[in-house]
Amino acid sequence: MRWSTVVWMGLCVVGCGGDDVPPADASTDLGAPVDAARDGSVDGASEDAPAQDAVGLDALVADAPADAVTEDAPAPDAGPEPTTVIAPVPGEVTLIQINLPGTFQLGEAGIVVGPDGTMLLMDVGNSSHDDDVLALIRALNETWITPARGFPPRDPREVEWVVLSHFHADHIGGFADLMGGIDVTRGVVHRGFTDLGSGVTENDYEEVCDLVRGELAAFDFPLCTAAEAPPCNADDWSETYPAVNCDGLLAGDLEVALDDGPSTITLGDGAVMRFVGASAHMSTGTAVVASAPFATDDNDFENARSLVALVEYGRFRYHWGGDLMGDGPDIEGHLVATSGGPFYGPLGMDVTHAHHHVRRTSSNATFVNAMAPLDGLSRNVVGGINGGHVGSPHLDVLQRWGDSDRLGAGAIWITQSAPGGDDHPALIDADANVIVQTIGAGTGYRVQAARDAAPMSRTFSTVR
């Protein structure tokens, strides 16, 4: 069902990722460029290519071949891996995990471009990243998602959808500033303005609440609601406003009135983003199941309420879950127990977004086993890390994903290793955008560390 309710959202600038927060005495040396030698060995890849600067906006310069797939390595008829950075092509899904700049400015953001050019933002970084995200949006709209390249016409400011995983600054702190430079044409999806406490950063929350209740009210798609809509001003909160209804997960196509079933966004040619969970409520496809109750007074409790979604196209499946927690509380386990059968099945995912910047509070054994079972097939993991996420990636998470050849010929691809981050043979430290693009209308896909010079890629068939 199409709905628009009076709701609000909160954002955060710094100190909102639990153990993500850099120590107060951290030196500026922590933001030094990451050593490219962290890359794992990749067949046919360039190992020592220079890292790109910031988000590498000028790197989106070439198409990937889209006519062949492979099992565990490029098929003979796929040709060589691209020697330039993958750009969106009609008829395929392109996902860009953006390598955001900054020494202490924590941030994560991604972009999905659907087969027909539909653009969707998956989080937007913090208030220091809006210019970077906006520049990439404009570059895509003006240069790459164009009629000359086979896409329908687009406005330079156009973004169809914005999806916000949870109310921490490193994921949504840039939202208010970004809205001054883009036009959202279809919707803003968020977990719902519920379960409020000190885990939410109040200043950004208040700022964006006014936007969503004002000029963006017609585009508001909350997945959960409270019994009473909370005020925008945190000083006026009278309770924590717990989620009492998450029927937004069962609304079918979000743009079709009186629709039902799992909530989806259409991305063109049958590609969809499908919503599985929000505010610690998980969907079976026909019902919503809440987790055991937990508090609102900790950053990790806000992480645990992250929105969960899948990108599906043909046989291809991609999981995205913000900063979802697997420890304290274990909402990853709740996701697997509730949604594993109907949404993930025994084969899990082709590509999984590693929650919480590849930190040890995420990617627990239950979740990893469900997304990447030990069956000999190749799968991949993507992690969004920037310089502010000190210590990421954590070794125990890398081991859970990468030990025992769990990923086959796949790997753990991260945008960059933060100061103090650990290493693993399965890790590919891109120090650049990480791009995933389907091949053959979702029968295969390619993953690329999108460096300006000599990007590094691998091609896979899907596990289905």
Side-chain angles (χ1 to χ4, degrees), residues 331-411:
I331 305 303
E332 289 178 337
H334 177 53
L335 168 67
V336 172
T338 304
S339 307
F343 288 102
Y344 298 92
L347 291 173
M349 293 288 102
D350 296 297
V351 183
T352 300
H353 168 258
H355 304 143
H356 201 198
H357 320 290
V358 204
R359 299 183 78 80
R360 63 177 55 90
T361 51
S362 69
S363 298
N364 69 19
T366 298
F367 176 74
V368 169
N369 286 334
M371 299 300 107
L374 281 168
D375 57 10
L377 299 177
S378 294
R379 297 175 176 84
N380 288 273
V381 177
V382 171
I385 302 171
N386 86 329
H389 296 120
V390 174
S392 291
H394 285 159
L395 180 59
D396 37 0
V397 178
L398 297 177
Q399 290 172 333
R400 287 195 286 271
W401 285 113
D403 284 0
S404 304
D405 293 323
R406 178 179 295 278
L407 299 177

Side-chain angles (χ1 to χ4, degrees), residues 66-116:
D67 57 357
V69 298
T70 64
E71 181 72 28
D72 292 326
D77 60 351
E81 295 289 2
T83 58
T84 50
V85 173
I86 296 170
V89 292
E92 302 296 346
V93 170
T94 304
L95 301 105
I96 306 170
Q97 185 72 48
I98 306 173
N99 184 34
L100 294 172
T103 302
F104 300 120
Q105 290 75 33
L106 292 79
E108 181 172 357
I111 292 179
V112 181
V113 178
D116 66 357

Side-chain angles (χ1 to χ4, degrees), residues 162-178:
V162 179
V163 181
L164 305 174
S165 66
H166 65 295
F167 305 144
H168 278 163
D170 53 333
H171 295 259
I172 61 170
F175 180 75
D177 288 337
L178 188 61

